[in-house]
């Protein structure tokens, strides 16, 4: 199965598409899911072949925290960066407890993401 | 010396006189005019306390005055009665002796000069002060005479006393001078001869004895005892009215023989208490009225002394009451002021924090709604930039890169604003950790090290090692310091100073002062700097949220923040924080 560097789970289609293109421009592969259920199915199928997941907290069908819980059930080893436009301190603490790799506010700095990506890849070697 | 006086004056001077200075607390004060409150309190208390005192004193004075007047009247009346009975007895005694002589001796013996002289001698021995004795026939001719004056052969037919005595058996005259030119009283007794004609035995009485007798009733300097006739002409000398025969202009409302007392008001001095009584013997009515006069002031001097003492005591009591009331009122109004001020400050803080909280709620909502489209703009613009700078084959258009960069910078700025807005919500959660203030300040200053060196800003940190580690939310404290130090760096020019001074003010609190020699804050802005979106910085420089968040954070950590600033001189922020945060107080 083909390896995917970053899985973007975000209902904002334009944002996901642009981010995906920018990631690919920087030589990494990416895939997009627009809702929680699709994302979970994707992970069940290809979970072993993904380096990093970017997860939005507010999804149309599920709350991001639930998705994170499910991801960790499927594969606790996948680093998940929670990306949010309005996260509260409580959300942040909850995500950290659930084992999220990071908690980042939108808008996202692409260079920062690349640095993190590099670090994860190096540490998994 | 002057300084000490100022200090002590400051400690007595009530705090509430500064009321007008705290204009910003005015909307929250329960009372607006503390001076009025103070005056009203003193006025009401003084009226309440002094009215009963005044009324009781007045009633007391009136009662004492009345009882003293009654007592004085009684005493005067008693003295008058005693003096009267003594004078009556004096006259009666002599008159009775004369009646006895006439009846015992008969005309023949009395008409004999030698016998008459002998009788006078005996009468003088028995009664004294009878200066002479004469026998006068019904025509007024003096038949015989015994005594020192040569009055033999005188005719009294036209003398007033003779005419007056004609129809009476016994007669006592007023004092008069008569032929001898010496004041005397005549006592005359009429006796009928067997042939039906009558003769008169007349004795003259020297007034000296009478005057002596009256003088014996004078008690003290303020008493005057004298005789007047029914027309008010003096019959004996008087202290108050002058010498014998002078008019007194006194009128007597009662013509009864019992003693009466009246008050004679005086123009300049205290009134005179005057007792009088008509002197009347059992056999004859005399023309005399005895007067006993006493100056009221002289008699009541004991009471006046007592009244002076009472007045002193009353005066001192009034002064004490007024002083105590003034101090108590000042103390109470001051306490009221302090409580009211504390209440107003709490309400102001509550309003500020409510304002911050509601702004926070709103801001969080706005931030949430804006962040997502902002993320789209960011990625889209980022992709555009990527297309020109990264994608192989696309032209490297520098102008396009610059334009997208400016979009990205603006997005970044919007991101900062929304993050700060979300900070409003986030500041309501607390995470307590043990931290060293010194280390925290150092870590914050590390960000500014390069800038300070480059701009030549002299940063000094003075935090003594004795300051204990704090148990507080380090993230929030760091945020406070970052905000304040950032502000200071933005305010100062090159070669300015920035001082960070930490000190422990008591067992529970520390104080951090961040002062700069920068541009300062205009006075009218000082009360607004904590308001969200208020900024004195130029456009593009500040969001107007930094200090607002800082104020909220300090409050969240259970502390206080105050600012002092002079435009063009510098600004000093003083943050007071508890060393150990009280968790139960945090909501």
């Amino acid at each position: 199965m083909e390896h995917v560097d970053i899985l973007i789970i975000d209902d904002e289609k334009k944002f996901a598409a642009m981010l995906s293109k920018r990631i690919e421009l920087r030589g990494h592969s990416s895939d997009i899911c627009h809702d929680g259920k699709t994302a979970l199915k994707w992970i069940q199928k290809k979970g072993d072949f993904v380096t990093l997941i970017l997860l939005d907290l507010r999804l149309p069908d599920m709350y991001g925290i639930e998705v994170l819980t499910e991801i960790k059930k499927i594969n606790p080893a996948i680093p998940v960066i929670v990306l949010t436009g309005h996260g509260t301190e409580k959300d942040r603490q909850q995500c950290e407890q659930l084992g999220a790799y990071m908690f980042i506010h939108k808008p996202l700095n692409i260079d920062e993401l690349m640095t993190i990506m590099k670090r994860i890849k190096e540490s998994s070697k | 010396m002057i300084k000490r006086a100022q200090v002590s004056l400051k400690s007595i001077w009530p705090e509430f006189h500064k009321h007008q200075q705290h204009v910003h607390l005015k909307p929250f004060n329960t009372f607006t005019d503390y001076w009025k409150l103070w005056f009203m309190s003193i006025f009401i208390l003084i009226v309440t306390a002094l009215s009963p005192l005044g009324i009781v004193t007045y009633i007391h004075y009136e009662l004492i005055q009345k009882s003293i007047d009654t007592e004085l009247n009684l005493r005067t009346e008693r003295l008058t009665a005693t003096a009267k009975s003594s004078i009556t007895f004096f006259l009666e005694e002599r008159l009775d002796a004369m009646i006895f002589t006439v009846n015992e001796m008969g005309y023949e013996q009395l008409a004999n000069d030698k016998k008459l002289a002998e009788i006078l001698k005996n009468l003088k021995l028995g009664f004294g002060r009878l200066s002479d004795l004469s026998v006068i026939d019904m025509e007024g001719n003096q038949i015989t005479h015994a005594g020192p004056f040569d009055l033999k052969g005188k005719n009294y037919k036209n003398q007033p006393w003779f005419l007056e005595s004609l129809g009476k058996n016994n007669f006592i005259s007023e004092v008069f001078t008569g032929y001898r030119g010496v004041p005397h009283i005549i006592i005359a007794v009429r006796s009928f001869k067997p042939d039906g004609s009558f003769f008169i035995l007349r004795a003259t009485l020297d007034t000296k004895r009478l005057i002596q007798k009256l003088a014996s009733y004078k008690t003290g300097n303020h008493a005057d005892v004298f005789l007047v006739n029914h027309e008010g002409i003096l019959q004996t000398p008087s202290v108050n009215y002058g010498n014998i025969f002078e008019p007194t202009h006194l009128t007597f409302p009662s013509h009864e023989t019992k003693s009466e007392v009246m008050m004679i008001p005086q123009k300049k001095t205290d009134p005179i208490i005057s007792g009088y009584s008509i002197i009347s013997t059992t056999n004859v009515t005399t023309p005399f009225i005895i007067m006993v006069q006493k100056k009221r002031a002289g008699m009541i001097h004991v009471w006046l002394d007592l009244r002076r003492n009472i007045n002193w005591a009353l005066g001192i009591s009034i002064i004490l009451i007024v002083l105590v009331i003034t101090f108590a009122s000042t103390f109470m109004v001051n306490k009221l002021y302090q409580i009211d001020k504390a209440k107003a400050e709490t309400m102001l803080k509550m309003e500020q924090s409510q304002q911050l909280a509601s702004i926070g709620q709103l801001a969080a909502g706005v931030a949430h709604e804006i962040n997502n489209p902002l993320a789209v703009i960011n990625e889209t613009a980022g992709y555009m930039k990527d297309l020109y700078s990264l994608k192989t084959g696309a032209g490297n258009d520098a102008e396009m890169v610059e334009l997208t960069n400016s979009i990205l910078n603006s997005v970044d700025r919007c991101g900062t604003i929304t993050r700060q807005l979300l900070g409003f919500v986030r500041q309501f959660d607390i995470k307590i950790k043990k931290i060293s203030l010194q280390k925290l300040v150092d870590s914050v200053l590390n960000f500014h090290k390069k800038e300070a060196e480059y701009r030549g800003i002299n940063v000094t940190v003075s935090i003594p090692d004795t300051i204990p580690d704090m148990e507080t939310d380090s993230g929030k404290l760091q945020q406070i310091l970052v905000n304040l130090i950032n502000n200071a760096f933005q305010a100062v020019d090159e070669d300015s100073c920035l001082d960070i001074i930490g000190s422990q003010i008591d067992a529970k609190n520390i104080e951090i002062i961040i002062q700069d020699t920068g541009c300062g804050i205009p006075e009218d802005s000082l009360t607004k700097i904590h308001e969200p979106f208020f900024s004195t910085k130029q456009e593009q420089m500040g969001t107007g949220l930094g200090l607002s968040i800082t104020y909220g954070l300090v409050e969240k950590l259970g502390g206080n923040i105050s600012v002092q600033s002079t435009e063009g001189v510098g600004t000093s922020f003083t943050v007071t924080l508890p060393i150990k945060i009280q968790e139960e107080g945090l909501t």
Side-chain angles (χ1 to χ4, degrees), chain A residues 39-41 43-44 47 69-76 78:
Chain A
L40 288 174
K41 273 182 198 163
I43 292 160
Q44 268 169 344
T69 317
E70 292 304 315
I71 295 171
K72 287 292 161 185
K73 276 182 194 164
I74 299 163
N75 189 346
I78 311 172

Side-chain angles (χ1 to χ4, degrees), chain B residues 27-94:
Chain B
F28 302 102
N29 280 122
T30 309
F31 303 102
T32 46
D33 195 342
Y34 284 93
W35 282 113
K36 197 176 155 194
L37 201 68
W38 186 67
F39 280 121
M40 282 304 286
S41 149
I42 290 178
F43 177 73
I44 291 168
L45 285 174
I46 284 179
V47 167
T48 318
L50 294 188
S51 310
L53 192 68
I55 292 167
V56 166
T57 311
Y58 176 74
I59 292 172
H60 183 70
Y61 275 11
E62 285 291 299
L63 274 178
I64 289 188
Q65 197 81 46
K66 223 168 235 179
S67 69
I68 279 181
D69 282 346
T70 314
E71 175 66 23
L72 288 182
N73 283 357
L74 274 173
R75 272 159 64 179
T76 312
E77 202 180 314
R78 264 201 306 273
L79 188 63
T80 311
T82 319
K84 175 201 168 184
S85 70
S86 166
I87 298 298
T88 308
F89 180 72
F90 178 82
L91 293 171
E92 209 162 37
E93 202 179 31
R94 274 142 193 85

Side-chain angles (χ1 to χ4, degrees), chain B residues 504-515:
Chain B
Q504 187 172 358
I505 49 170
D506 56 47
K508 288 184 175 172
N509 295 290
I510 60 139
E511 188 181 75
I512 307 160
I513 299 169
I514 294 160
Q515 60 185 32

Side-chain angles (χ1 to χ4, degrees), chain B residues 561-573:
Chain B
I561 180 165
S562 62
V563 58
Q564 279 171 327
S565 185
T566 312
E567 216 177 343
V569 177
T571 307
S572 166
F573 278 95

Side-chain angles (χ1 to χ4, degrees), chain B residues 316-572:
Chain B
I316 290 168
S317 309
I318 288 171
I319 290 169
L320 271 177
I321 288 171
V322 169
L323 278 178
V324 168
I325 284 175
T326 309
F327 277 118
S329 292
T330 310
F331 180 76
M332 282 193 315
V333 172
N334 217 21
K335 277 274 168 240
L336 201 67
Y337 166 74
Q338 284 165 351
I339 292 166
D340 202 20
K341 190 179 141 204
K343 187 205 80 177
E345 276 169 354
T346 312
M347 282 177 73
L348 182 71
K349 268 187 190 170
M350 259 168 65
E351 204 196 61
Q352 282 176 1
S353 71
Q354 265 174 12
Q355 203 180 8
L356 285 178
S358 54
I359 290 279
Q361 296 292 331
L362 178 73
V366 171
H368 164 238
E369 292 306 324
I370 284 175
N371 264 359
N372 281 324
L374 210 55
V376 176
I377 297 170
N378 187 54
E379 294 319 315
T380 315
Y383 183 55
M384 280 167 72
K385 187 185 161 193
D386 289 352
L387 285 179
Y388 284 101
S389 57
L390 296 176
K391 202 171 181 182
T392 45
N396 196 340
D397 191 328
E399 195 181 355
M400 210 58 192
V401 171
E402 201 186 309
L403 288 173
T404 45
N405 264 342
S406 95
I407 295 175
L408 287 172
N409 284 341
S410 295
V411 167
D412 195 42
R413 204 171 120 71
C414 288
T416 312
I417 294 171
T418 54
R419 258 195 298 281
Q420 282 183 340
L421 286 174
L422 285 166
F424 270 122
V425 185
R426 223 170 295 137
Q427 75 185 27
F428 291 95
D429 304 305
I430 290 276
K431 223 175 156 188
I432 298 166
K433 246 165 83 179
K434 203 164 186 172
I435 48 132
S436 150
L437 182 65
Q438 176 100 47
K439 282 182 186 162
L440 199 72
V441 170
D442 286 346
S443 76
V444 173
L445 281 175
N446 264 337
F447 295 115
H448 297 280
K449 227 176 198 171
K450 281 264 171 331
E451 190 185 347
E453 275 172 25
Y454 174 69
R455 289 174 60 192
I457 298 165
N458 183 20
V459 181
T460 51
V461 180
S462 146
I463 299 169
D465 295 334
T466 49
I467 289 189
D469 282 353
M470 295 172 72
E471 278 180 51
T472 189
D473 187 314
S474 65
K476 288 182 176 49
L477 182 53
Q478 192 173 24
Q479 187 68 49
I480 292 166
L481 293 171
V482 166
N483 286 354
L484 293 178
I485 292 170
N486 268 345
N487 275 347
F489 265 85
Q490 282 164 12
V492 296
D493 293 325
E494 282 173 16
D495 303 322
S496 298
C497 291
L498 170 64
D499 298 326
I500 300 162
I501 304 154
S503 59
Q504 187 172 358
I505 49 170
D506 56 47
K508 288 184 175 172
N509 295 290
I510 60 139
E511 188 181 75
I512 307 160
I513 299 169
I514 294 160
Q515 60 185 32
D516 62 59
T517 54
C519 55
I521 304 167
E523 208 182 324
D524 55 341
S525 301
L526 270 177
T527 52
K528 294 184 198 159
I529 52 168
H530 69 277
E531 287 175 14
F533 304 111
F534 179 82
S535 179
T536 57
K537 293 170 191 166
Q538 287 171 343
E539 230 177 297
Q540 305 288 317
M541 284 287 280
T543 60
L545 289 169
L547 269 180
S548 176
I549 291 171
T550 308
Y551 269 68
L553 288 173
V554 171
E555 204 168 285
K556 200 67 209 161
L557 296 185
N560 272 313
I561 180 165
S562 62
V563 58
Q564 279 171 327
S565 185
T566 312
E567 216 177 343
V569 177
T571 307
S572 166

Side-chain angles (χ1 to χ4, degrees), chain A residues 50-109:
Chain A
V50 67
T51 314
L52 174 67
I53 297 174
L54 277 181
L55 172 65
D56 187 17
L57 268 189
R58 188 172 283 188
L59 294 168
D61 57 343
M62 285 170 86
Y63 196 56
I65 302 279
E66 290 174 68
V67 180
L68 178 63
T69 317
E70 292 304 315
I71 295 171
K72 287 292 161 185
K73 276 182 194 164
I74 299 163
N75 189 346
I78 311 172
V80 181
I81 293 178
V82 178
L83 188 64
T84 174
H86 67 287
T88 62
E89 185 68 16
K90 206 175 153 192
D91 290 333
R92 192 179 64 80
Q93 284 173 1
Q94 218 171 346
C95 291
E96 273 177 15
Q97 276 169 10
L98 287 169
Y101 187 79
M102 269 185 109
F103 191 88
I104 296 177
H105 280 278
K106 284 179 183 176
L108 178 74
N109 187 327

